[in-house]
Amino acid sequence: MRNLSRGKIFALSIVLIVLLAPFVYVQGNKRAYAERVRSYLLQEKSYKEEELASVKGVWGMKLPAFYTIVVFKDEPEVNYVYFSHNDVLQFDQWITPKGVETGITPEKLKHTEKRKEG
């Protein structure tokens, strides 16, 4: 087995850190934003865990880079978009093509939050 010098081990360690840092940053932020939204829904909005089908952190290409998609079990054909950079804010709702086919309209959505005027 070939011995690596301390300098080579150090250089390889630095390269590995540089390559892994963006991945760790993105995954960590996706998880943190999703957890912040989950806590908001459970504690402030009084939803029960059983009512949530999924809470998923997303890294997008537009600003803001991180947001969260929430799907409720009683409305699986709608994706609710939340931002949680400072305060948690429901920003948008996306009705899936299947939801459109079944007649869901923005007026019929069950979990839309009113935006605070300020």
Side-chain angles (χ1 to χ4, degrees):
M1 186 167 151
R2 190 173 139 191
N3 287 336
L4 293 175
S5 68
R6 286 187 184 183
K8 287 181 181 178
I9 291 173
F10 180 74
L12 286 173
S13 298
I14 295 298
V15 168
L16 189 62
I17 289 170
V18 168
L19 292 175
L20 289 177
F23 176 78
V24 171
Y25 171 78
V26 168
Q27 295 305 316
N29 273 315
K30 285 171 37 177
R31 183 172 294 181
Y33 283 84
E35 189 54 40
R36 196 175 301 155
V37 171
R38 181 183 300 280
S39 292
Y40 165 80
L41 292 172
L42 297 176
Q43 294 172 5
E44 293 187 34
K45 292 298 182 178
S46 301
Y47 285 104
K48 293 179 176 54
E49 188 70 41
E50 309 82 62
E51 296 176 278
L52 305 175
S54 69
V55 179
K56 182 179 175 187
V58 177
W59 179 47
M61 298 310 258
K62 296 180 181 179
L63 291 176
F66 295 98
Y67 56 94
T68 303
I69 301 289
V70 176
V71 177
F72 294 91
K73 285 186 179 174
D74 66 346
E75 212 172 30
E77 53 283 317
V78 180
N79 295 321
Y80 290 88
V81 181
Y82 286 83
F83 292 152
S84 58
H85 298 275
N86 294 321
D87 297 329
V88 176
L89 166 72
Q90 187 184 89
F91 181 74
D92 201 2
Q93 307 84 28
W94 302 332
I95 302 171
T96 65
K98 181 181 177 186
V100 172
E101 288 175 12
T102 60
I104 295 177
T105 62
E107 297 78 28
K108 294 180 182 178
L109 297 180
K110 299 175 186 176
H111 304 283
T112 302
E113 295 180 16
K114 301 275 188 222
R115 291 191 191 176
K116 295 178 184 174
E117 299 296 325

